[in-house]
Structure formats: C-alpha cells, structure tokens
Amino acid sequence: MEMIPTLIIVAVVLLLIFSAFVSIQQGTIAVVTVFGKYSRILTPGLNFKIPLIEMISSRISIQNRSVELEFQAVTVDQANVYFKAMLLYSVLDQNEETIKNVAFKFVDERNLMQALIRTVEGSIRAFVATKRQADVLILRRDIVDHVKEQLDQILETWGYHLQDLQLNDITFDDVIMKSMSQVVASNNLKAAAENEGQALLITKTKAAEAEGNAIKISAEAERSAAQLRGQGIALFREEVAKGMSVAAKEMKEADMDTSVILFTMWTEAIKHFSENSKGNVIFLDGSADNMQRTMKEMMALNTLSAQGNTKDTKSK
C-alpha cells in the first residue's frame, strides 16, 4: 500500500518534467503567459517552460497567408465596378513587440480577417469613387499602390505587413461591358478602314507611277524608233541618189539619154505599187499627152540633178 503514493508522486514528477519541455514548429512563434499575463515568446525548436505556471497562450504563424476578396465599388460617374482580388499578407517581423500586437490586438483570427478585408475594400472604394468608369481599367497598378500606401501604417500597428494585392478581375454591369465592346469594335473598324484607305492610296499611287513610267518608256522607245526610221530613210535616199548619180554618169559616158533612168524608176514604182498595195486597181493616165508631160517632168528633174552634180564638182 505504501508503494502506491510513491508511484503517484513519481508519475506526477515525470509528467511535470515532460510538460516543462515544449516543441515549436518552424515558421511558428509561441506566446507564453503567466496567470493570463504576457510573459515571453518561444522560438522554433525545443523550449523550456515552468510547469503549471507558464502557459502557451497562442501559436502564431509567421508564414505568408492569402485571402480572396470579392466586392463592389462605385465610380464618380455612378458606374458599378466589381473586383476580384487576392490579398497576400504576413506578420511584420519576429520582434517581441510585433508578436504581442499580433497575439492581443484582436479577439481571434476571424475578427482580424474581417477588419483586414473591410479595410482593403474601403481603401479601394474610396479611390475608385474619385475616378471615372473609363479610367478604372488603366489604373490597376495605381489602385494597388494606393491601397498599400494606405494600409501599411494601419497593418503595422496590428503587427502585419501587406505583401501584395492582386486585382485578378475588374468587371462592370452588362450594359457597360457591351457598350465598351462596341466602342472597341468601332475603333477597330475605324483603324481597319484607315489602314485600308492608306493601302488603297499607296496601291493607286504605285499604279499611277508605274503607268507613268510605262508611258515614259514607251515614248522614249517610240522616239528612238522614229529617229532610227528617219535615219534609215535618209540612208536609203542617200544610197538611191548615189546609185542614180553613178548610173547617169555611166550613161552619159556611153552617150545615152539619162532620162531613161527616170522612166525606169517610174515604171519600177508602178510595179512596186501593184505588187504591194492592197487594192485591185491602179488608175493611170496612159494618154500620149500625159506620157509626154511625165517625161518632160522627169527630164527636168534629171537636168536639175545634173546641175547639182556640176556644182559639187566645181566646189571640190
């Protein structure tokens, strides 16, 4: 019977010894109170506390925590804006004063979250209320900076720090969304029409330039061709004149009438007309008077040609 009290005492002593040691997980700070009053903090690892006197009041996570928010705001032009956001926050640091604020500023975690969410929503609503609906979408970064600037000092008094605020979605009423889509569509159509007009103008301009260059090239080619044709005709006439001069000289030396050359040329011309013309009939005056008149004209031309040759010879 005497052994029972001894065993009880030993068990109580062992229990007290084991309860004097407490393990704190990494990323967690334990708050110790003595008879309900704050005493000290315990860092991660194995710690010693006075049994039955020191009690662990709470364990505070110093890791980052996140919460999703959904709320509504109204712009200065009375447009409803709907936000979906993600809030990332953490304990400010591991200092003892900071841990005390975290442990004792709020009754529980639920009240902390309520105050944090309402503070963020209020800050965003106050900012949006000064902006127009058309400006809200392009002010996403400004909204985040404004909230962080407003909340940092408040959260520091609670022992927390706002790591980041991400506005994942910003929407409006269906009517406004449709009107915004129409504005975007009309702007795209306007830009497309302007681009098409510019492309058409460039195409027309290039086509006109190409046509002008083609006309210019064609004119240059025609001018060159005409020049070449003129040179060919001049050379032809020059060769004919040389041939006639030689033939006339030979006939004169043979004491023959040079008017025969003109008559031969006339007959050759008639032959050429009949062979190469597209008509079927050549009208010629074959009367004796006409033949005589033609021969006189040819002889006159021959006389003029002979006089011209004589002058050339004297000048030489």
Side-chain angles (χ1 to χ4, degrees), residues 49-68:
K49 68 180 182 66
I50 301 173
L52 302 178
I53 297 177
E54 291 185 328
M55 304 293 295
I56 295 180
S57 173
S58 61
R59 296 174 185 264
I60 299 173
S61 174
I62 58 176
Q63 295 174 318
N64 293 337
R65 286 179 280 181
S66 64
V67 59
E68 292 187 351

Side-chain angles (χ1 to χ4, degrees), residues 273-281:
F273 294 156
S274 62
E275 290 177 351
N276 296 282
S277 63
K278 296 181 180 181
N280 297 323
V281 180

Side-chain angles (χ1 to χ4, degrees), residues 145-189:
D145 293 339
H146 173 77
V147 172
K148 293 186 69 174
E149 181 181 356
Q150 295 292 320
L151 291 185
D152 274 345
Q153 293 182 353
I154 298 176
L155 292 180
E156 285 179 6
T157 62
W158 300 349
Y160 290 94
H161 171 63
L162 180 63
Q163 299 283 1
D164 192 18
L165 174 65
Q166 296 183 4
L167 299 178
N168 299 323
D169 193 14
I170 302 177
T171 58
F172 304 90
D173 291 331
D174 291 341
V175 176
I176 296 178
M177 294 296 291
K178 289 180 181 179
S179 64
M180 292 174 64
S181 299
Q182 291 175 353
V183 170
V184 173
S186 62
N187 289 336
N188 290 339
L189 290 174

